[in-house]
Amino acid sequence: MKIAFFDTHPFEKEAFDSENADGKHEIHYFEPRLTKETATLAKGFSCVCAFANDRLDKTTLTLLKEGGTHFIALRSAGFNHMDLKAASSLGIRAARVPEYSPYAIAEHVVAMIQTLNRKTHKAYNRVREGNFSLNGLVGFDLHGKTVGIIGTGRIGKVLAKIMLGFGCKVLLYDIKRDEHFARELHCHYAGFEDILRQSDIISLHVPLTSETKHFIDEKAFSQMKRGVMMINTGRGALVDTKALINSLKTGHVGHAGLDVYEEEAGVFFEDLSGKILNDDILARLLTFPNVLVTSHQGFLTHEALSNIASTTLKNISEFEKNLPLSNEVKVG
Ligand code: NAI
């Protein structure tokens, strides 16, 4: 099938080329993100392959349909960036990659926790400059701390197991409780407010929906323990960033690790060094010594990339052969 591949990055191209070594699909790699301005690049392509920061709104989808696109292969788990209602009314079908490696993201959470906690990023720079002082590098033992996991799907469950290995007490929160999992791990579910009140570390693993937008707002921050560490690898808009900045300024939030950010589209994944950063909120976040921002790299492992490529191409083959779509995304 002829595929217009948007927002291409070298690390993904390698994985897709290797997965498509038999040349079954004709993949055309485009560097720009998919927006209404770039949608015309897909003219004549029945399939568009899009990533997390491509904009699949009604206008873009309409332009794609006019250009002959019938199928959107999302190479992401999240699909909050696609207007499913508009796609359905246009007769465009879509599929995603629901799971590629929950380990990749959960392990990135641990990397963020321990970077913020043990300040290895600062130690690395210091030592390379001949500064062997330990002042300002004091961290805390993870052992015995309470970790609140919000969203106990694939990623949240892997994180729970890892944190139990550190000797943490793990509290779980989800609208659909998996009591069997909790029993098996000897941890338990708690109410949302209890998690906020009791946790030393809070990690977010729910999808972005109309219910979860700004899940963590000013009120939620005020209910957290003073000095709490919050990690967000879910989606940026789960957190009200202005409320986070206020809580960081008062010291109520002790550390924040963000792999995602509300307005990341057009910034994350791009090399903007040497350019002016026009986003004042992100610029403010970057001034805090206790904030770690990574550029949506939770998924970035060889294993995850290879799984993303194989599932995406499998989704496309299913559509091409008119088979039932195992990973279809649709309204409702
Ligand atoms: P999943 O679908 O396996 O789990 C999500 C969990 O959230 C489910 O258990 C569900 O019941 C729960 N949930 C949904 N709405 C809720 C609500 N209103 N209140 C409480 N719980 C709710 O998803 P998975 O694979 O664990 O991924 C979680 C999120 O992580 C994805 O939606 C995606 O946004 C993000 N993600 C980020 C990546 C990164 O590179 N930073 C990579 C992959 C996913």
Side-chain angles (χ1 to χ4, degrees), residues 36-310:
K36 62 180 187 314
E37 285 79 24
T38 60
T40 48
L41 286 170
K43 197 164 184 249
F45 287 84
S46 30
C47 172
V48 158
C49 185
F51 198 40
N53 285 328
D54 287 319
R55 190 158 296 162
L56 291 150
D57 55 17
K58 193 175 176 181
T59 317
T60 309
L61 290 167
T62 307
L63 290 167
L64 291 179
K65 182 72 186 181
E66 283 166 10
T69 299
H70 307 293
F71 186 60
I72 309 285
L74 298 170
R75 51 187 201 280
S76 58
F79 50 90
N80 53 287
H81 55 306
M82 176 160 178
D83 184 338
L84 294 180
K85 247 194 194 156
S88 162
S89 64
L90 288 162
I92 295 180
R93 293 177 77 191
R96 65 179 179 131
V97 185
E99 173 175 359
Y100 35 86
S101 168
Y103 309 103
I105 297 98
E107 289 170 15
H108 189 67
V109 172
V110 179
M112 296 192 98
I113 292 174
Q114 286 299 65
T115 303
L116 286 164
N117 172 21
R118 304 303 296 267
K119 303 165 182 63
T120 42
H121 56 314
K122 293 186 185 172
Y124 173 85
N125 285 325
R126 263 191 204 182
V127 167
R128 287 173 75 93
E129 286 181 5
N131 177 357
F132 297 92
S133 159
L134 296 182
N135 295 334
L137 299 184
V138 180
F140 55 85
D141 286 3
L142 280 178
H143 183 90
K145 295 295 178 296
T146 300
V147 180
I149 299 182
I150 299 191
T152 58
R154 285 168 280 248
I155 298 169
K157 281 186 174 129
V158 172
L159 182 66
K161 287 183 187 166
I162 298 175
M163 298 320 290
L164 286 168
F166 275 104
C168 295
K169 177 181 174 192
V170 171
L171 292 177
L172 310 169
Y173 175 78
D174 202 292
I175 34 164
K176 283 193 208 140
R177 296 181 171 200
D178 185 343
E179 296 291 357
H180 174 72
F181 172 80
R183 259 195 315 278
E184 212 174 57
L185 263 68
H186 304 290
C187 48
H188 64 270
Y189 279 91
F192 187 59
E193 293 190 3
D194 293 329
I195 294 249
L196 299 181
R197 287 208 172 87
Q198 292 175 35
S199 302
D200 300 294
I201 299 171
I202 294 174
S203 193
L204 308 180
H205 302 287
V206 288
L208 177 61
T209 62
S210 49
E211 289 102 69
T212 61
K213 181 161 195 254
H214 287 188
F215 220 35
I216 307 296
D217 57 8
E218 203 175 323
K219 182 170 170 227
F221 280 119
S222 73
Q223 290 170 323
M224 292 180 189
K225 265 189 184 179
R226 190 168 175 83
V228 67
M229 179 187 288
M230 193 207 63
I231 308 287
N232 186 12
T233 58
R235 281 292 179 266
L238 295 176
V239 175
D240 178 345
T241 315
K242 284 188 185 150
L244 169 64
I245 289 175
N246 288 337
S247 305
L248 282 160
K249 278 159 82 174
T250 60
H252 196 83
V253 169
H255 299 94
L258 309 172
D259 187 47
V260 284
Y261 164 62
E262 278 187 273
E263 303 297 332
E264 69 180 54
V267 178
F268 283 15
F269 304 146
E270 307 299 328
D271 179 1
L272 301 181
S273 53
K275 296 206 174 120
I276 305 295
L277 185 57
N278 281 320
D279 183 330
D280 290 352
I281 296 176
L282 178 58
R284 181 66 178 103
L285 272 178
L286 296 176
T287 65
F288 292 100
N290 49 352
V291 170
L292 172 67
V293 177
T294 53
S295 183
H296 204 140
Q297 73 174 75
F299 71 99
L300 204 60
T301 67
H302 290 297
E303 292 80 359
L305 288 169
S306 154
N307 292 338
I308 288 171
S310 65

